[in-house]
Amino acid sequence: MRLREVIAGLNELAPEGYQESWDNSGLQIGDLDSEIHNVCIALDLDDAVVEEAIAHNADLIVTHHPLIFSPLKRITTEDFIGKRLLKLARAGISYYAMHTNFDIAKMADLAADRLQLKDVSVLDVCFTKDEKEFGIGCIGALQSSLSLAELAGLVKESFGLESVRIFGETDTKIHTIAICPGSGKSTISSAISKGADVLVTGDIDHHNGIDAVAQGLAIIDAGHYGLEHIFTEYMKEYMEQHMGVLKIHVPQTREVFRVI
């Protein structure tokens, strides 16, 4: 397949036009007419992913988080972004990012499915298309109520995590869940206004956590990676199903920090 055909298929899932105004999803390096046979899928484009893509003779890397966010004035080996881009260019590897467009199109629904939520709706609406709401995160109900501690255990099991952080009393009864994979502190007010008992997300700091609890909202912080790593598994299955001529490789990844 040519790169432009691969991108067209990815846009059927998560159109680039869905992304937030501050985002930079889409093709970041590559020739639209280049032939794509081997694809590497990752959450982030770090040095290890670049090296593994080269080792597996990848023609394309697809990530969730974009490597390039702000405009670049130069591409040199003097900074880590320039080094990675130059390595990709020398190896003839194209690079495509699916960030907030994937968040809006699919990520929250995938997370809700893992927790088997029912009556799911959008948490923070960004726009409406064909009378359907699209946005960041979602809110839904558990099949049956759990304590906050029990829900934390379910989140760990469902997302394959070693630990999560909890803000709130462990015996608090939970029925309605707001979930926002990634960094979700901006959705706290929406979760509260929509009557959620808990927000499951990542990157919650001390003040956001205690302020949320004071307003009746418990928090389960599963980490930024903790909820979003589901991107790679889903995209592998999607591309194998819809672009079967491609060979897909997913490098082994893990949380970027360690708890000792």
Side-chain angles (χ1 to χ4, degrees), residues 1 26 35 46 49 61-62 64 67 71 75 83 95 111 130 137 141 151 176 182 185 187 260:
M1 296 181 71
E35 285 288 343
D46 58 19
V49 169
I61 298 174
V62 176
H64 180 49
L67 177 63
I75 300 175
K83 285 181 181 178
Y95 170 50
D130 298 328
L151 178 59
T176 303
K185 62 183 179 182
T187 64
I260 298 175

Side-chain angles (χ1 to χ4, degrees), residues 161 163-164 181-182 201-203 220-228 255 257:
L161 307 177
S163 64
V164 297
T201 188
D203 296 346
I220 295 178
D221 186 334
H224 201 120
Y225 166 88
L227 299 181
E228 287 194 329
E255 182 62 86
F257 61 84

Side-chain angles (χ1 to χ4, degrees), residues 207-255:
H207 295 290
N208 290 135
I210 62 174
D211 289 352
V213 172
Q215 298 173 82
L217 179 70
I219 299 283
I220 295 178
D221 186 334
H224 201 120
Y225 166 88
L227 299 181
E228 287 194 329
H229 70 81
I230 59 178
F231 168 83
T232 56
E233 178 183 334
Y234 177 81
M235 286 306 304
K236 181 177 187 296
E237 293 177 357
Y238 177 85
M239 295 187 76
E240 286 176 339
Q241 181 178 353
H242 293 84
M243 307 171 196
V245 297
L246 301 179
K247 182 178 179 181
I248 311 297
H249 173 68
V250 178
Q252 185 175 4
T253 58
R254 58 184 182 181
E255 182 62 86

Side-chain angles (χ1 to χ4, degrees), residues 106-173:
K106 200 68 184 176
M107 185 74 86
D109 289 337
L110 295 178
D113 288 344
R114 292 230 173 180
L115 296 179
Q116 298 183 338
L117 300 186
K118 59 183 181 180
D119 303 325
V120 176
S121 60
V122 177
L123 177 60
D124 199 351
V125 178
C126 295
F127 61 88
T128 301
K129 181 180 179 182
D130 298 328
E131 299 184 351
K132 181 180 178 181
E133 293 181 334
F134 292 84
I136 300 296
C138 66
I139 185 168
L142 288 167
Q143 299 295 326
S144 58
S145 296
L146 297 173
S147 70
L148 182 57
E150 290 171 332
L151 178 59
L154 178 61
V155 171
K156 286 172 57 179
E157 179 183 357
S158 300
F159 290 88
L161 307 177
E162 293 183 2
S163 64
V164 297
R165 296 193 307 144
I166 296 175
F167 293 87
E169 297 299 325
T170 56
D171 60 354
T172 301
K173 285 299 180 183

